[in-house]
Structure formats: C-alpha cells, structure tokens
Amino acid sequence: MELFTVGKGKLVGPGDYTNFTEADVIAMAKVLTGWQVPAISSTTTLTAQFAANRHSTGNKKLSARFNNAEIKANDKQEYKDMIDVILSKRSALVLSRENSIVGLYIMKSRQT
C-alpha cells in the first residue's frame, strides 16, 4: 500500500504512519485473502483465482486515516471496494498519477 498509493507518512504513534495505520494494513490484507495463482505448469500465463474457503469473511473496518471506512463482506469483489477507499485519499491520487503501472492496474481492474 505505502509504496505506490498513499505514501508512508511520518510516524506519529505506535503503528500510526500519518497516512495509514498497521490496523489498516491488516484489514486490507484480509480483503486480499483467498486470491491465489495456481502452480506454474507448461503455461506461461498466470491467472489469479479466488478460493472462497481461504478468504477472511466479514466486514473490514479501517481507521480514521481512511475516514473509518468499512469494506463490506463481498468475497472476491472486496478488492474493488478497497481500491476505491485507497484512491479516495488525495495522497493516493497524486502518487498513482506519477506511477503509470498503478494507473494501468486500476484501469484494468475496473474493466472486470
């Protein structure tokens, strides 16, 4: 999250880096649970797959750094809500514009 989206910011308290908290990192990691890439075989194409039984269920609550946003339980669609929450931060918009790889990923994810 920090390198390509919101920036780390200054440490202002234990686990609080101005732009996000350690609890935000944990909550967002839970959003991404269940996603996996099968073992590489004879193909060179890697395709992510979602395994619902490996996903952390329930809503994911973020800190005041993200306006106390809550990502509602929505299985494999949660990552889209997470991207929206991240990009709602002004610092994320500035950093993502400077990084074309992030911009391309976001554009691609919106098409699916």
Side-chain angles (χ1 to χ4, degrees):
M1 177 171 54
E2 71 182 73
L3 294 177
F4 300 110
T5 54
V6 297
K8 185 174 182 180
K10 295 179 182 179
L11 180 66
V12 294
D16 188 345
Y17 297 96
T18 310
N19 292 334
F20 63 90
T21 67
E22 290 296 323
D24 294 326
V25 173
I26 292 167
M28 289 186 187
K30 288 179 180 181
V31 167
L32 299 174
T33 58
W35 285 100
Q36 58 190 16
V37 175
I40 299 173
S41 58
S42 61
T43 181
T44 57
T45 302
L46 299 177
T47 305
Q49 297 175 347
F50 183 76
N53 64 328
R54 300 180 134 219
H55 180 65
S56 177
T57 59
N59 297 342
K60 284 72 174 181
K61 181 77 172 163
L62 301 175
S63 74
R65 300 293 184 207
F66 288 96
N67 297 320
N68 298 308
E70 187 170 35
I71 298 171
K72 301 289 184 188
N74 194 14
D75 292 325
K76 66 181 178 180
Q77 300 301 316
E78 289 176 23
Y79 80 94
K80 293 177 183 179
D81 296 331
M82 182 179 75
I83 290 171
D84 289 341
V85 168
I86 291 170
L87 291 181
S88 70
K89 292 184 67 73
R90 182 173 174 77
S91 59
L93 294 173
V94 171
L95 289 171
S96 65
R97 268 188 261 150
E98 294 173 0
N99 187 326
S100 60
I101 293 172
V102 172
L104 289 173
Y105 170 76
I106 292 164
M107 289 170 34
K108 178 68 175 166
S109 71
R110 287 294 173 218
Q111 294 173 357
T112 56

mmCIF file of all heavy atoms in Angstrom, residues 49-71:
data_model
loop_
_atom_site.group_PDB
_atom_site.id
_atom_site.type_symbol
_atom_site.label_atom_id
_atom_site.label_comp_id
_atom_site.label_asym_id
_atom_site.label_seq_id
_atom_site.Cartn_x
_atom_site.Cartn_y
_atom_site.Cartn_z
ATOM 1 N N GLN A 49 -6.938 -16.806 -9.150
ATOM 2 C CA GLN A 49 -8.205 -17.466 -8.860
ATOM 3 C C GLN A 49 -8.591 -17.160 -7.425
ATOM 4 O O GLN A 49 -7.735 -16.980 -6.571
ATOM 5 C CB GLN A 49 -8.080 -18.976 -9.044
ATOM 6 C CG GLN A 49 -7.754 -19.395 -10.452
ATOM 7 C CD GLN A 49 -7.522 -20.890 -10.569
ATOM 8 O OE1 GLN A 49 -7.368 -21.587 -9.578
ATOM 9 N NE2 GLN A 49 -7.495 -21.379 -11.797
ATOM 10 N N PHE A 50 -9.878 -17.133 -7.181
ATOM 11 C CA PHE A 50 -10.371 -16.839 -5.843
ATOM 12 C C PHE A 50 -10.894 -18.116 -5.203
ATOM 13 O O PHE A 50 -11.730 -18.807 -5.779
ATOM 14 C CB PHE A 50 -11.494 -15.797 -5.897
ATOM 15 C CG PHE A 50 -11.992 -15.389 -4.550
ATOM 16 C CD1 PHE A 50 -11.258 -14.534 -3.748
ATOM 17 C CD2 PHE A 50 -13.196 -15.868 -4.068
ATOM 18 C CE1 PHE A 50 -11.714 -14.150 -2.496
ATOM 19 C CE2 PHE A 50 -13.669 -15.486 -2.818
ATOM 20 C CZ PHE A 50 -12.917 -14.632 -2.033
ATOM 21 N N ALA A 51 -10.393 -18.417 -4.009
ATOM 22 C CA ALA A 51 -10.849 -19.575 -3.235
ATOM 23 C C ALA A 51 -11.594 -19.051 -2.019
ATOM 24 O O ALA A 51 -10.988 -18.593 -1.044
ATOM 25 C CB ALA A 51 -9.665 -20.434 -2.818
ATOM 26 N N ALA A 52 -12.914 -19.105 -2.072
ATOM 27 C CA ALA A 52 -13.747 -18.534 -1.008
ATOM 28 C C ALA A 52 -13.446 -19.152 0.356
ATOM 29 O O ALA A 52 -13.514 -18.464 1.381
ATOM 30 C CB ALA A 52 -15.226 -18.713 -1.349
ATOM 31 N N ASN A 53 -13.074 -20.419 0.388
ATOM 32 C CA ASN A 53 -12.789 -21.074 1.666
ATOM 33 C C ASN A 53 -11.485 -20.587 2.303
ATOM 34 O O ASN A 53 -11.197 -20.917 3.448
ATOM 35 C CB ASN A 53 -12.769 -22.595 1.502
ATOM 36 C CG ASN A 53 -11.658 -23.063 0.586
ATOM 37 O OD1 ASN A 53 -11.271 -22.373 -0.356
ATOM 38 N ND2 ASN A 53 -11.144 -24.246 0.846
ATOM 39 N N ARG A 54 -10.703 -19.799 1.580
ATOM 40 C CA ARG A 54 -9.455 -19.254 2.118
ATOM 41 C C ARG A 54 -9.545 -17.743 2.348
ATOM 42 O O ARG A 54 -8.555 -17.093 2.628
ATOM 43 C CB ARG A 54 -8.294 -19.567 1.171
ATOM 44 C CG ARG A 54 -8.103 -21.052 0.991
ATOM 45 C CD ARG A 54 -6.962 -21.354 0.074
ATOM 46 N NE ARG A 54 -6.203 -22.395 0.751
ATOM 47 C CZ ARG A 54 -4.905 -22.478 0.776
ATOM 48 N NH1 ARG A 54 -4.169 -21.607 0.140
ATOM 49 N NH2 ARG A 54 -4.300 -23.455 1.425
ATOM 50 N N HIS A 55 -10.761 -17.215 2.215
ATOM 51 C CA HIS A 55 -10.971 -15.777 2.351
ATOM 52 C C HIS A 55 -11.441 -15.431 3.768
ATOM 53 O O HIS A 55 -12.246 -16.142 4.355
ATOM 54 C CB HIS A 55 -12.025 -15.318 1.331
ATOM 55 C CG HIS A 55 -12.306 -13.853 1.385
ATOM 56 N ND1 HIS A 55 -11.361 -12.901 1.066
ATOM 57 C CD2 HIS A 55 -13.426 -13.173 1.717
ATOM 58 C CE1 HIS A 55 -11.901 -11.704 1.206
ATOM 59 N NE2 HIS A 55 -13.150 -11.838 1.601
ATOM 60 N N SER A 56 -10.919 -14.332 4.285
ATOM 61 C CA SER A 56 -11.344 -13.828 5.592
ATOM 62 C C SER A 56 -12.716 -13.185 5.435
ATOM 63 O O SER A 56 -12.859 -12.158 4.774
ATOM 64 C CB SER A 56 -10.330 -12.809 6.106
ATOM 65 O OG SER A 56 -10.749 -12.258 7.317
ATOM 66 N N THR A 57 -13.717 -13.802 6.036
ATOM 67 C CA THR A 57 -15.086 -13.303 5.888
ATOM 68 C C THR A 57 -15.345 -12.144 6.844
ATOM 69 O O THR A 57 -14.572 -11.879 7.752
ATOM 70 C CB THR A 57 -16.104 -14.432 6.155
ATOM 71 O OG1 THR A 57 -15.890 -14.924 7.474
ATOM 72 C CG2 THR A 57 -15.938 -15.559 5.150
ATOM 73 N N GLY A 58 -16.436 -11.471 6.627
ATOM 74 C CA GLY A 58 -16.819 -10.363 7.496
ATOM 75 C C GLY A 58 -16.373 -9.023 6.938
ATOM 76 O O GLY A 58 -15.569 -8.939 6.010
ATOM 77 N N ASN A 59 -16.920 -7.972 7.515
ATOM 78 C CA ASN A 59 -16.570 -6.614 7.119
ATOM 79 C C ASN A 59 -15.172 -6.278 7.616
ATOM 80 O O ASN A 59 -14.728 -6.777 8.651
ATOM 81 C CB ASN A 59 -17.574 -5.620 7.684
ATOM 82 C CG ASN A 59 -18.971 -5.835 7.140
ATOM 83 O OD1 ASN A 59 -19.153 -6.491 6.113
ATOM 84 N ND2 ASN A 59 -19.954 -5.298 7.822
ATOM 85 N N LYS A 60 -14.488 -5.405 6.886
ATOM 86 C CA LYS A 60 -13.151 -4.951 7.272
ATOM 87 C C LYS A 60 -13.231 -3.470 7.601
ATOM 88 O O LYS A 60 -13.569 -2.653 6.757
ATOM 89 C CB LYS A 60 -12.139 -5.181 6.141
ATOM 90 C CG LYS A 60 -11.686 -6.627 5.963
ATOM 91 C CD LYS A 60 -12.749 -7.480 5.378
ATOM 92 C CE LYS A 60 -12.258 -8.891 5.050
ATOM 93 N NZ LYS A 60 -13.323 -9.688 4.466
ATOM 94 N N LYS A 61 -12.926 -3.115 8.842
ATOM 95 C CA LYS A 61 -13.028 -1.738 9.328
ATOM 96 C C LYS A 61 -11.655 -1.070 9.257
ATOM 97 O O LYS A 61 -10.665 -1.613 9.726
ATOM 98 C CB LYS A 61 -13.538 -1.757 10.776
ATOM 99 C CG LYS A 61 -13.715 -0.404 11.384
ATOM 100 C CD LYS A 61 -14.974 0.260 10.889
ATOM 101 C CE LYS A 61 -15.207 1.543 11.673
ATOM 102 N NZ LYS A 61 -16.129 2.414 11.023
ATOM 103 N N LEU A 62 -11.627 0.120 8.676
ATOM 104 C CA LEU A 62 -10.386 0.886 8.559
ATOM 105 C C LEU A 62 -10.384 2.034 9.560
ATOM 106 O O LEU A 62 -11.421 2.380 10.131
ATOM 107 C CB LEU A 62 -10.228 1.404 7.131
ATOM 108 C CG LEU A 62 -10.193 0.309 6.055
ATOM 109 C CD1 LEU A 62 -10.165 0.924 4.668
ATOM 110 C CD2 LEU A 62 -9.016 -0.616 6.258
ATOM 111 N N SER A 63 -9.228 2.621 9.748
ATOM 112 C CA SER A 63 -9.057 3.677 10.750
ATOM 113 C C SER A 63 -9.545 5.040 10.254
ATOM 114 O O SER A 63 -9.967 5.195 9.107
ATOM 115 C CB SER A 63 -7.573 3.790 11.111
ATOM 116 O OG SER A 63 -6.868 4.424 10.044
ATOM 117 N N ALA A 64 -9.401 6.008 11.125
ATOM 118 C CA ALA A 64 -9.753 7.388 10.778
ATOM 119 C C ALA A 64 -8.899 7.906 9.631
ATOM 120 O O ALA A 64 -9.295 8.835 8.932
ATOM 121 C CB ALA A 64 -9.596 8.282 11.999
ATOM 122 N N ARG A 65 -7.751 7.301 9.426
ATOM 123 C CA ARG A 65 -6.896 7.707 8.292
ATOM 124 C C ARG A 65 -7.608 7.472 6.962
ATOM 125 O O ARG A 65 -7.276 8.069 5.959
ATOM 126 C CB ARG A 65 -5.570 6.955 8.316
ATOM 127 C CG ARG A 65 -4.754 7.176 9.568
ATOM 128 C CD ARG A 65 -4.262 8.592 9.655
ATOM 129 N NE ARG A 65 -3.398 8.732 10.813
ATOM 130 C CZ ARG A 65 -3.239 9.861 11.450
ATOM 131 N NH1 ARG A 65 -3.873 10.931 11.069
ATOM 132 N NH2 ARG A 65 -2.443 9.930 12.484
ATOM 133 N N PHE A 66 -8.571 6.561 6.970
ATOM 134 C CA PHE A 66 -9.399 6.282 5.795
ATOM 135 C C PHE A 66 -10.868 6.617 6.095
ATOM 136 O O PHE A 66 -11.779 5.964 5.606
ATOM 137 C CB PHE A 66 -9.262 4.818 5.366
ATOM 138 C CG PHE A 66 -7.937 4.515 4.729
ATOM 139 C CD1 PHE A 66 -6.899 3.983 5.488
ATOM 140 C CD2 PHE A 66 -7.723 4.764 3.385
ATOM 141 C CE1 PHE A 66 -5.677 3.713 4.910
ATOM 142 C CE2 PHE A 66 -6.493 4.494 2.794
ATOM 143 C CZ PHE A 66 -5.465 3.973 3.568
ATOM 144 N N ASN A 67 -11.064 7.638 6.916
ATOM 145 C CA ASN A 67 -12.408 8.109 7.285
ATOM 146 C C ASN A 67 -13.277 6.995 7.867
ATOM 147 O O ASN A 67 -14.485 6.955 7.636
ATOM 148 C CB ASN A 67 -13.100 8.759 6.082
ATOM 149 C CG ASN A 67 -12.367 9.984 5.618
ATOM 150 O OD1 ASN A 67 -11.886 10.767 6.422
ATOM 151 N ND2 ASN A 67 -12.253 10.143 4.321
ATOM 152 N N ASN A 68 -12.647 6.087 8.612
ATOM 153 C CA ASN A 68 -13.356 4.970 9.254
ATOM 154 C C ASN A 68 -14.190 4.157 8.265
ATOM 155 O O ASN A 68 -15.257 3.649 8.599
ATOM 156 C CB ASN A 68 -14.232 5.471 10.407
ATOM 157 C CG ASN A 68 -13.396 6.122 11.486
ATOM 158 O OD1 ASN A 68 -12.433 5.547 11.969
ATOM 159 N ND2 ASN A 68 -13.755 7.333 11.861
ATOM 160 N N ALA A 69 -13.693 4.062 7.052
ATOM 161 C CA ALA A 69 -14.409 3.307 6.013
ATOM 162 C C ALA A 69 -14.539 1.848 6.429
ATOM 163 O O ALA A 69 -13.700 1.312 7.162
ATOM 164 C CB ALA A 69 -13.659 3.398 4.687
ATOM 165 N N GLU A 70 -15.602 1.234 5.959
ATOM 166 C CA GLU A 70 -15.812 -0.183 6.210
ATOM 167 C C GLU A 70 -16.003 -0.873 4.863
ATOM 168 O O GLU A 70 -16.875 -0.480 4.085
ATOM 169 C CB GLU A 70 -17.024 -0.404 7.098
ATOM 170 C CG GLU A 70 -17.193 -1.831 7.529
ATOM 171 C CD GLU A 70 -18.254 -1.985 8.603
ATOM 172 O OE1 GLU A 70 -19.258 -1.243 8.570
ATOM 173 O OE2 GLU A 70 -18.079 -2.840 9.475
ATOM 174 N N ILE A 71 -15.171 -1.861 4.604
ATOM 175 C CA ILE A 71 -15.301 -2.643 3.382
ATOM 176 C C ILE A 71 -16.223 -3.803 3.715
ATOM 177 O O ILE A 71 -15.895 -4.668 4.525
ATOM 178 C CB ILE A 71 -13.924 -3.110 2.879
ATOM 179 C CG1 ILE A 71 -13.066 -1.888 2.542
ATOM 180 C CG2 ILE A 71 -14.084 -4.041 1.674
ATOM 181 C CD1 ILE A 71 -11.621 -2.189 2.231
#
